[in-house]
Amino acid sequence: MANLRFLRGYNDAVVLGLARSGAVTRVELAERSGLTPQAVSKVVGRLIADGLLVESGTRNVGVGKPRTLLKLVADSRLALGAQVERDELRVVLTDLAGTVLDRAVAPLPRGFDPPAFVAELTRLVDRLRSDRLIGVGIGFVGPLDHRTGVVHDPNGLTGWHDVPLRSWAEERLGLPVVLDKDTNTAMVAEAWRRGEELRDAVLVLVGTGLGIGMLLDGRVHRGARTNAGEYGHTTLQLDGPTCVCGRTGCVEALHNLAAARGDLVEATSVVGVAVADLVQLLDIDHVVLAGRAVLAEPAAYLDGVRARLPKDEWLPVDVSITPLGDDVVAAGAAMLVLSEFYGRPR
Ligand SMILES: [Zn+2]
């Protein structure tokens, strides 16, 4: 399986994933992983030798001698995550806990082509490079194929017809790379941060475009061609203005036009109406707003969305702004790399 590329072994990933949530004993690791105590001992020994785990204190367990606690060494390995917007590239460095340690940001030329992009990505990655890196995640504007790592003709960019970006980037950077839509990596970031609390949620990313990431029953929903979430191109007005996608009256076109003429009430209402439709369709109980338009006017977007949601008391919907701010897409891309490192299903 492609998602085991980063690992020395599946058992190592399972044990690390369990240690991620807090200090654990070898006995607990065996109980929770289903591995035999002998297998756990072997894996733990290997992970300690590699510097990923450290023995740290003991826990009393009533009878018998206290058990040694094992802790994840968060900065023993690092991941990079990138956000590719139509006018900007952002790369963040995170530790194994997903904490952002450093970042580099650079403008991208209008309509940039693949060679220009890969050169700029390489430059920023080299600025943050470390010998502890396990991989690079890229959150890119859609449409693209997450499984094959191929970008398919994003609106507003030239020369991006069926570009195998993941393999090109792996070759240039000399590191494993995962590619996903920016909306999905942002959703991954929120799911990672909030854990079990978030099971059925939508993340609305309002940047130069408008798209959504969906978490359904605890998993990021990507669809048959991994292209789900192109919600900005849902028709809201049959005779509406022409959109960059060539259709008319799209959510994205209506929002961007209102925003461009400074009509914040109309812009946020468009997002609110669109989100209300999603709540009806998917029965989600959490909505997370992100993207630079939202971050510039957070209170207005919160109000605009909340005002349009269903009023039924038994259908409460929590609406929030991502606390990860401008880093959410890039940090989520790094967390996607970490998820593969830990062998967690996604
Ligand atoms: Zn459209």
Side-chain angles (χ1 to χ4, degrees):
M1 260 170 74
N3 66 353
L4 297 179
R5 285 176 301 169
F6 303 135
L7 309 174
R8 289 175 35 147
Y10 179 71
N11 292 350
D12 293 35
V14 170
V15 167
L16 270 184
L18 290 170
R20 195 199 131 210
S21 5
V24 283
T25 66
R26 286 173 175 80
V27 172
E28 288 163 349
L29 284 173
E31 282 166 4
R32 292 179 203 164
S33 66
L35 297 170
T36 64
Q38 294 81 353
V40 166
S41 264
K42 235 170 110 179
V43 169
V44 165
R46 206 157 55 213
L47 293 172
I48 289 176
D50 283 351
L52 286 155
L53 283 183
V54 66
E55 293 188 336
S56 162
T58 54
R59 177 178 293 153
N60 291 315
V61 286
V63 282
K65 59 175 187 170
R67 290 177 185 157
T68 306
L69 286 169
L70 298 156
K71 253 179 56 185
L72 180 73
V73 183
D75 63 355
S76 60
R77 300 291 186 278
L78 305 169
L80 287 175
Q83 177 184 17
V84 188
E85 252 284 20
R86 290 177 182 82
D87 55 2
E88 185 185 88
L89 173 63
R90 170 180 299 256
V91 182
V92 303
L93 179 71
T94 76
D95 64 15
L96 286 180
T99 307
V100 174
L101 306 174
D102 201 359
R103 64 178 65 72
V105 184
L108 287 169
R110 178 172 276 278
F112 61 88
D113 61 9
F117 168 71
V118 174
E120 196 57 17
L121 178 69
T122 308
R123 198 175 69 83
L124 294 199
V125 166
D126 285 345
R127 260 165 66 182
L128 300 171
R129 200 180 269 274
S130 144
D131 54 7
R132 287 171 285 162
L133 277 181
I134 56 173
V136 182
I138 302 176
F140 205 95
V141 291
L144 59 81
D145 189 321
H146 166 63
R147 279 184 296 244
T148 58
V150 172
V151 177
H152 296 292
D153 302 301
N155 292 319
L157 298 182
T158 46
W160 286 89
H161 179 67
D162 297 349
V163 170
L165 179 60
R166 187 180 67 205
S167 41
W168 288 11
E170 284 186 334
E171 206 169 292
R172 263 308 272 280
L173 302 174
L175 287 162
V177 171
V178 287
L179 176 71
D180 207 347
K181 287 166 72 157
D182 49 4
T183 44
N184 288 340
T185 69
M187 189 74 259
V188 166
E190 283 297 309
W192 172 284
R193 196 177 65 76
R194 293 166 76 166
E196 281 301 302
E197 176 200 353
L198 221 60
R199 287 201 65 79
D200 291 282
V202 159
L203 180 135
V204 186
L205 186 70
V206 194
T208 54
L210 188 153
I212 62 166
M214 285 176 276
L215 190 75
L216 301 180
D217 202 20
R219 294 178 67 89
V220 173
H221 177 76
R222 293 189 174 84
R225 272 65 53 89
T226 75
N227 200 44
E230 292 294 315
Y231 193 58
H233 302 293
T234 305
T235 307
L236 216 59
Q237 186 186 340
L238 289 178
D239 58 350
T242 304
C243 180
V244 286
C245 72
R247 299 163 66 183
T248 55
C250 292
V251 171
E252 180 178 306
L254 292 170
H255 169 270
N256 287 0
L257 273 175
R261 62 172 187 267
D263 189 344
L264 196 56
V265 173
E266 174 75 8
T268 59
S269 294
V270 169
V271 176
V273 168
V275 169
D277 284 349
L278 282 175
V279 170
Q280 301 283 6
L281 179 70
L282 301 170
D283 188 18
I284 46 175
D285 56 5
H286 285 84
V287 173
V288 185
L289 305 176
R292 77 167 72 130
V294 167
L295 295 173
E297 296 284 352
Y301 278 88
L302 275 178
D303 290 349
V305 170
R306 283 178 179 149
R308 299 285 178 162
L309 292 182
K311 296 290 179 278
D312 316 61
E313 261 176 42
W314 66 283
L315 289 172
V317 179
D318 177 77
V319 185
S320 61
I321 308 274
T322 175
L324 294 169
D326 287 322
D327 284 338
V328 66
V329 170
M335 291 171 199
L336 204 53
V337 173
L338 296 176
S339 297
E340 299 208 354
F341 186 71
Y342 290 121
R344 280 156 32 109
R346 53 187 165 91

